[in-house]
Amino acid sequence: MIKENISLKPYCTYKTGGEAEYFASPTTNEELVSALKFASEKKMPVTALGSGSNVLISDDGVKGLVLVLSELNDKIEINDEKVYAGAGVILDKLVRTTVENSLGGMECMSGIPGTVGGAVRMNAGAFGTEIKDIAGMVYAVDLKSLAEKKLKNEECEFGYRKADGLESMIVTGTEFMLKKNDFELLKSKRDDIIKNRNIKQPLNFPSCGSVFKRPEGNYAGALIEEAGLKGFSVGNVQISDKHANFIVKTGQATSADIHKLISLIKEKVQEKTGYILEEEVRYIGF
Ligand SMILES: Cc1cc2nc3c(=O)[nH]c(=O)nc-3n(C[C@H](O)[C@H](O)[C@H](O)COP(=O)(O)OP(=O)(O)OC[C@H]3O[C@@H](n4cnc5c(N)ncnc54)[C@H](O)[C@@H]3O)c2cc1C
C-alpha cells in the first residue's frame, strides 16, 4: 500500500513538482491509520493532499509520507437535511447531489475544484458562503495520537481560507447542515455560478485558483492590475489576462517558475500599492 518515490505531478492541478519519498492513497479509515502508523514509526512528516487544486509542490519533492486522500471514504449519505460526505468526495459532485435533492446551502460552491477534505481544511467558499456556514460535525484522525475524532464546527476554528483547529488532523468526512429549498431555484443558481466561472476564470489552463487571499478592504486581482501586471508572463507562466489573481501555466513550466512569478507579484504590488499580499495557495515541500 505504501509506495516509494512517486511523482506528484499527476496529483495537483498545476501538474508540477517532484516526488513523494513515501506515498499512499488510503480508501478507508483503517488504511489511513495504518499508513499513519508507518509514518509515526519512522518518525517522518505527513503531508495531506486532496485533489491538489490549491497547492504548489516543490520540484525537489516532498520528504516523508504524502497521503493522497481523493479516494478516502468516497460516499455521500443523505439523512433529511443532514448530508454526510467522505473526505474524498469531489466537492462539486456533492453540491450537484444536494441540489438534485432540493437541499440548499452549498449551491454557491458550485464549480469549486477539489475534495470535501480539502474544502473543509481550507474553509473554501464563494459568493458569500463558506464551509464554516454549513459544516456540522467534522470527522478526522489526529496525526499525533492516531485517534479518530469528532469535531464540532467551532472546534475547527474556521477563518478566512483556514481551519486552525484541523492543523494536525486528517479530515475523513464531514456532516453538512442544509435546508430544504426549491429545486428549480437551486438549479438555476448553480447553473448561473458555473456559467459565471467559465466567463471570468481562465479554466482552460492549469492553475490553483486565486493565488492570493483577499486583502482587507481591497481585492488581490485589482492590486495586481494596478501594479500593471495583468497578462504579464515569464516563460510559460502567466498572470492571467482574464483574472489577475490567477497564475496559469501555458506550456511546460516548473513549480520554481510559478514560485518566481508569485514572488515578483508580491514585490511589485507592495512597491506600487503598499499592500503586502498573502498567499492562499499552500506550498508543499518548500
Ligand atoms: C480553477 C480553480 C478555481 C477555484 N475556485 C475557488 C473558489 O471559488 N473558492 C475557494 O475557496 N477555492 C477555490 N479554489 C481553490 C481550491 O479548489 C480549494 O481550496 C479546494 O477546497 C482545495 O481542495 P483540494 O482537495 O484540492 O485540496 P488540496 O489543494 O489538495 O489541499 C489544500 C490544503 O488542504 C489540505 N488537505 C487536503 N485534504 C485534506 C484532508 N482530507 N485532511 C486534512 N487536510 C487536507 C492540504 O494539506 C492543503 O494544505 C479554486 C481552484 C482552482 C484550480
Side-chain angles (χ1 to χ4, degrees):
M1 195 183 88
I2 293 182
K3 299 176 190 163
E4 283 180 61
N5 304 325
I6 297 296
S7 167
L8 292 171
K9 283 193 178 73
Y11 300 103
C12 63
T13 47
Y14 268 131
K15 308 286 178 231
T16 58
E19 292 181 347
E21 187 180 11
Y22 292 93
F23 174 99
S25 184
T27 59
T28 61
N29 280 10
E30 292 69 38
E31 286 179 12
L32 170 66
V33 171
S34 124
L36 290 175
K37 272 190 186 139
F38 169 86
S40 153
E41 276 159 21
K42 288 199 175 307
K43 298 194 182 356
M44 54 167 83
V46 174
T47 303
L49 280 180
S51 299
S53 64
N54 200 51
V55 298
L56 187 64
I57 299 174
S58 165
D59 299 316
D60 296 332
V62 184
K63 288 273 170 256
L65 175 67
V66 176
L67 292 170
V68 168
L69 301 162
S70 51
E71 287 177 36
L72 180 65
N73 299 333
D74 187 10
K75 64 168 189 225
I76 299 173
E77 283 166 4
I78 301 182
N79 189 354
D80 196 24
E81 292 184 323
K82 283 187 188 166
V83 179
Y84 166 85
V89 170
I90 294 300
L91 183 71
D92 191 57
K93 178 181 163 191
L94 174 64
V95 177
R96 196 186 67 223
T97 306
T98 60
V99 167
E100 282 166 1
N101 283 275
S102 305
L103 289 167
M106 300 200 94
E107 62 283 357
C108 286
M109 296 187 195
S110 295
I112 299 182
T115 60
V116 165
V120 171
R121 182 68 184 84
M122 290 301 302
N123 187 25
F127 302 104
T129 306
E130 295 176 320
I131 290 289
K132 82 165 168 34
D133 303 325
I134 47 169
M137 208 59 93
V138 172
Y139 299 85
V141 171
D142 186 305
L143 281 170
K144 288 190 194 104
S145 65
L146 307 191
E148 295 192 26
K149 302 264 179 186
K150 275 196 214 175
L151 290 97
K152 292 190 193 119
N153 183 306
E154 55 276 20
E155 290 175 301
C156 296
E157 297 172 43
F158 288 117
Y160 176 48
R161 298 297 172 264
K162 63 178 188 172
D164 289 343
L166 299 171
E167 193 86 53
S168 60
M169 305 268 173
I170 299 289
V171 176
T172 58
T174 299
E175 189 174 67
F176 295 97
M177 318 296 276
L178 305 178
K179 286 259 170 283
K180 287 250 181 285
N181 205 331
D182 178 59
F183 168 73
E184 292 301 336
L185 182 94
L186 296 174
K187 173 84 171 58
S188 93
K189 218 165 161 186
R190 173 171 164 77
D191 290 348
D192 283 352
I193 286 172
I194 288 177
K195 204 156 76 190
N196 212 16
R197 280 183 177 273
N198 275 300
I199 294 169
K200 297 206 170 129
Q201 299 181 350
L203 301 182
N204 45 339
F205 292 109
S207 81
C208 65
S210 292
V211 174
F212 297 104
K213 292 184 180 177
R214 195 176 55 235
E216 194 76 32
N218 216 316
Y219 290 96
L223 294 171
I224 296 167
E225 274 196 70
E226 201 181 314
L229 291 170
K230 195 176 187 183
F232 179 79
S233 59
V234 179
N236 288 325
V237 185
Q238 187 195 33
I239 299 167
S240 168
D241 50 14
K242 209 169 180 185
H243 188 316
N245 198 13
F246 275 54
I247 293 183
V248 294
K249 204 180 82 167
T250 55
Q252 285 296 327
T254 62
S255 289
D257 297 331
I258 297 165
H259 190 248
K260 237 181 262 165
L261 194 53
I262 294 176
S263 305
L264 184 136
I265 294 173
K266 288 178 78 170
E267 194 188 305
K268 294 280 176 218
V269 165
Q270 191 178 0
E271 205 177 283
K272 293 263 166 69
T273 70
Y275 276 88
I276 299 173
L277 291 180
E278 190 192 333
E279 287 91 331
E280 178 175 324
V281 62
R282 299 274 177 131
Y283 294 121
I284 305 274
F286 276 77

